Amino acid sequence: MQTGFSIHRVIVLGTGRMAGFLIPAFRRINMDVIQVYGRNEEHAAALGMQEGIEWTSSINDIIPDADLYVLAVSDSAIPLLAEKLEGLKGLVVHTSGAVPLEALAGLRHNGVFYPLQTLGQSPPPDMSDTPICIEGSGEPETTALKSLAERMSERVEVLNSSERLRLHLAAVLVNNFANHLYALAESLLKEGGVPYDLLHPLMRRTTALACSERVEQLQTGPAIRGDEDTIRRHLELLKQQGDLAALYRALSLSVQQHHNVKSADNEL
Amino acid sequence: MQTGFSIHRVIVLGTGRMAGFLIPAFRRINMDVIQVYGRNEEHAAALGMQEGIEWTSSINDIIPDADLYVLAVSDSAIPLLAEKLEGLKGLVVHTSGAVPLEALAGLRHNGVFYPLQTLGQSPPPDMSDTPICIEGSGEPETTALKSLAERMSERVEVLNSSERLRLHLAAVLVNNFANHLYALAESLLKEGGVPYDLLHPLMRRTTALACSERVEQLQTGPAIRGDEDTIRRHLELLKQQGDLAALYRALSLSVQQHHNVKSADNEL
């Protein structure tokens, strides 16, 4: 099939977690990463030398005839960088869940290449197990990005910008907010001299079960049971911690609303 | 070492998830489960026949000379049942995280045997990987329960009632509330036609990393970054869902309070 785009020579713009994740993943499928760009010279040099790739910190020195330019930069840096790349003939993509495709509308061929995983921790995640969500400014761009992504990952999905934002919001719930609950639990236990590792098997099983699609049916606990005695005991324990008590109430209420539990509970 | 208690003949009171989890686990270490009791005759009969154990639904027919009586019943049923067992010479334990030991104070030898895991889903969890928290009314009771638990699980901890309640509260955060976040994420995605399985690798990695003890350092996302643009986009997406928007705000605020992030964010 003729895609209209043959992607082989890639330039990565950015020197952070996403760039560090993508460069080896591109190379693993024999793409030629010909240059890295970073606004900060030291970071650009460090990444370039680490990977053995030509690097630059000058936007004017970016090689103009690559097939793919990947903006692996913070959300707020995307529009500025995009503006400076106008006129390029290659395909320019960003890697953000929350930024719409239209941020790249000034570029002839544009798209989104969004690997959904938490980065920056060691060991890095496996790209083949990382879902990649793609979007193209047109059919040829979409086709080219899809076929690239499918060489890198077993799970590729074409999503438009509004679907991707929705996914990003859901990711905030299951990553940022779940991690925050874990951190609050650890703090609570530490404060009482109770070892945090006692929770680990429960955390793992809870998450494994929730990946089984029956997540609605898995809800248990005092909130969905309307178990006022237990809720009262928990809130009593939190009475010196108004912030956490408020969050406990908000989450319990949300459980009850979501499951249409009639709360007879004056504590919440 | 003389523990004062030799535990071999066990009676399980209750016919629910906990009873169903404990009976095979006791038998695996060659304990003799001599009777099951259930208030509901049908349930008692079903469990007794399934396990090939004598069963009764009459509290007066409970065999009086067992070594260990395990109250695997709901929290609210514990005091009532305990009252009816007064006079027994054996060790009587309950299996609840949230009920203090003193609920069994009328019994000569009492304690708590609390396996911390989510039950009732198939396949059942592995008891050897399930932390067991124990408490005894005295030194001999504690010693006997500890040695019993150590034959069943690799992770045994002696906790008093206030430590156990704290652990139970932490378990609500990482199990009930984390599962609720997963359910909200699934609903959001379903509503937008985005496949939920795209989140699974992120959920698994988030939890695996949080079991590494560095959970405080793992916090990322718009709230801790003070990323108002993204927060605004997410709240815009939730504007038809006031309940979920309120929870998003409460969780973001809690992240910022926990990490002492100065919020310049008027949206929250």
Side-chain angles (χ1 to χ4, degrees):
Chain A
M1 187 170 116
Q2 171 67 320
T3 64
F5 287 92
S6 161
I7 300 180
H8 183 63
R9 287 153 50 91
V10 179
I11 294 178
V12 172
L13 297 93
T15 58
R17 296 168 173 195
M18 184 60 86
F21 179 54
L22 286 175
I23 291 169
F26 284 136
R27 292 177 135 185
R28 215 169 293 125
I29 58 158
N30 298 316
M31 306 284 286
D32 194 4
V33 182
I34 58 173
Q35 192 180 36
V36 293
Y37 161 83
R39 197 177 40 181
N40 177 306
E41 184 165 356
E42 223 173 301
H43 294 172
L47 183 59
M49 285 189 274
Q50 176 195 307
E51 299 287 343
I53 298 172
E54 181 182 326
W55 58 270
T56 181
S57 62
S58 158
I59 194 91
N60 297 318
D61 292 342
I62 289 178
I63 298 171
D65 64 345
D67 304 315
L68 179 67
Y69 296 81
V70 180
L71 309 190
V73 296
S74 67
D75 290 1
S76 57
I78 292 172
L80 209 71
L81 209 49
E83 207 187 309
K84 299 215 170 134
L85 298 179
E86 283 178 15
L88 285 176
K89 275 185 276 185
L91 177 51
V92 182
V93 298
H94 74 63
T95 57
S96 164
V99 174
L101 180 66
E102 66 190 19
L104 303 183
L107 294 148
R108 198 183 314 179
H109 303 294
N110 62 76
V112 179
F113 189 94
Y114 172 50
L116 178 55
Q117 194 40 288
T118 180
L119 303 178
Q121 303 301 325
S122 183
D126 190 347
M127 179 59 103
S128 67
D129 184 45
T130 300
I132 303 177
C133 303
I134 60 121
E135 180 177 16
S137 53
E139 191 62 36
E141 291 84 351
T142 303
T143 306
L145 289 171
K146 187 156 182 279
S147 114
L148 172 67
E150 283 171 347
R151 290 167 61 200
M152 301 170 77
S153 167
E154 286 161 20
R155 187 68 184 91
V156 175
E157 190 78 18
V158 179
L159 296 182
N160 67 32
S161 291
S162 113
E163 291 165 336
R164 193 173 58 254
L165 178 62
R166 188 175 283 269
L167 180 61
H168 185 262
L169 169 55
V172 165
L173 299 182
V174 306
N175 171 258
N176 304 157
F177 292 160
N179 188 72
H180 181 53
L181 293 176
Y182 297 150
L184 291 173
E186 191 202 25
S187 293
L188 260 175
L189 294 183
K190 191 179 280 178
E191 196 184 281
V194 180
Y196 173 54
D197 78 282
L198 291 170
L199 287 180
H200 293 176
L202 178 63
M203 289 159 62
R204 286 197 203 96
R205 184 166 161 90
T206 300
T207 301
L209 289 172
C211 291
S212 71
E213 299 279 346
R214 300 164 306 162
V215 58
E216 291 277 349
Q217 284 81 58
L218 292 170
Q219 193 63 44
T220 57
I224 196 168
R225 279 200 310 273
D227 176 353
E228 297 174 44
D229 278 351
T230 302
I231 291 172
R232 191 177 34 72
R233 287 192 183 109
H234 287 165
L235 289 174
E236 174 73 21
L237 189 61
L238 295 177
K239 73 178 172 211
Q240 308 298 334
Q241 288 161 287
D243 295 349
L244 187 44
L247 186 64
Y248 181 100
R249 281 194 192 88
L251 281 160
S252 295
L253 190 64
S254 177
V255 168
Q256 297 181 341
Q257 285 168 337
H258 192 69
H259 292 272
N260 298 312
V261 175
K262 191 114 177 190
S263 173
D265 184 18
N266 299 321
E267 302 280 348
L268 287 180
Chain B
M1 187 170 116
Q2 171 66 319
T3 65
F5 287 92
S6 162
I7 300 179
H8 182 64
R9 286 154 50 91
V10 179
I11 294 178
V12 173
L13 297 93
T15 57
R17 297 169 175 195
M18 183 62 83
F21 180 54
L22 286 176
I23 291 169
F26 284 136
R27 294 177 134 184
R28 214 168 294 124
I29 59 161
N30 298 316
M31 306 283 287
D32 194 3
V33 183
I34 58 173
Q35 192 180 37
V36 293
Y37 160 84
R39 197 177 40 182
N40 178 306
E41 184 165 356
E42 225 172 300
H43 295 172
L47 183 59
M49 286 189 272
Q50 176 193 308
E51 299 287 342
I53 298 172
E54 181 182 326
W55 59 270
T56 181
S57 62
S58 157
I59 194 90
N60 297 318
D61 292 342
I62 289 179
I63 298 170
D65 64 347
D67 304 316
L68 179 68
Y69 296 81
V70 181
L71 309 189
V73 296
S74 68
D75 289 2
S76 58
I78 291 172
L80 209 72
L81 209 48
E83 207 186 309
K84 300 216 168 131
L85 298 179
E86 282 178 18
L88 287 177
K89 276 187 276 188
L91 178 51
V92 182
V93 297
H94 74 63
T95 57
S96 165
V99 174
L101 180 65
E102 67 189 17
L104 303 182
L107 294 148
R108 198 184 313 181
H109 303 294
N110 62 75
V112 178
F113 189 93
Y114 172 49
L116 178 56
Q117 193 42 285
T118 180
L119 303 177
Q121 302 303 323
S122 183
D126 189 349
M127 180 58 103
S128 68
D129 184 44
T130 300
I132 303 177
C133 303
I134 61 120
E135 181 177 15
S137 53
E139 191 61 36
E141 290 85 349
T142 303
T143 306
L145 290 171
K146 187 157 184 278
S147 113
L148 172 67
E150 282 170 348
R151 290 166 61 200
M152 301 169 77
S153 168
E154 285 162 20
R155 187 71 184 87
V156 175
E157 189 80 17
V158 179
L159 295 182
N160 65 33
S161 291
S162 113
E163 291 166 335
R164 194 174 57 255
L165 178 62
R166 188 176 283 270
L167 180 61
H168 185 263
L169 169 55
V172 165
L173 298 182
V174 306
N175 170 258
N176 304 157
F177 291 160
N179 189 72
H180 181 54
L181 292 176
Y182 297 151
L184 291 174
E186 190 201 25
S187 293
L188 260 175
L189 293 184
K190 192 179 280 179
E191 197 184 280
V194 180
Y196 172 54
D197 78 283
L198 291 170
L199 287 180
H200 293 176
L202 178 63
M203 289 159 62
R204 288 197 201 95
R205 183 166 162 89
T206 299
T207 301
L209 289 171
C211 291
S212 70
E213 298 281 346
R214 301 164 305 161
V215 58
E216 290 277 349
Q217 284 82 58
L218 292 170
Q219 192 64 45
T220 57
I224 196 168
R225 278 200 311 273
D227 176 351
E228 297 173 44
D229 278 351
T230 301
I231 291 172
R232 191 177 34 73
R233 286 192 184 110
H234 287 166
L235 289 174
E236 174 74 18
L237 191 60
L238 295 176
K239 73 180 174 210
Q240 308 297 335
Q241 288 161 288
D243 296 348
L244 187 45
L247 186 64
Y248 182 99
R249 283 194 191 88
L251 281 160
S252 295
L253 190 63
S254 178
V255 168
Q256 296 181 341
Q257 286 167 338
H258 192 70
H259 292 272
N260 298 311
V261 175
K262 192 111 176 192
S263 172
D265 186 16
N266 298 321
E267 301 280 347
L268 289 179

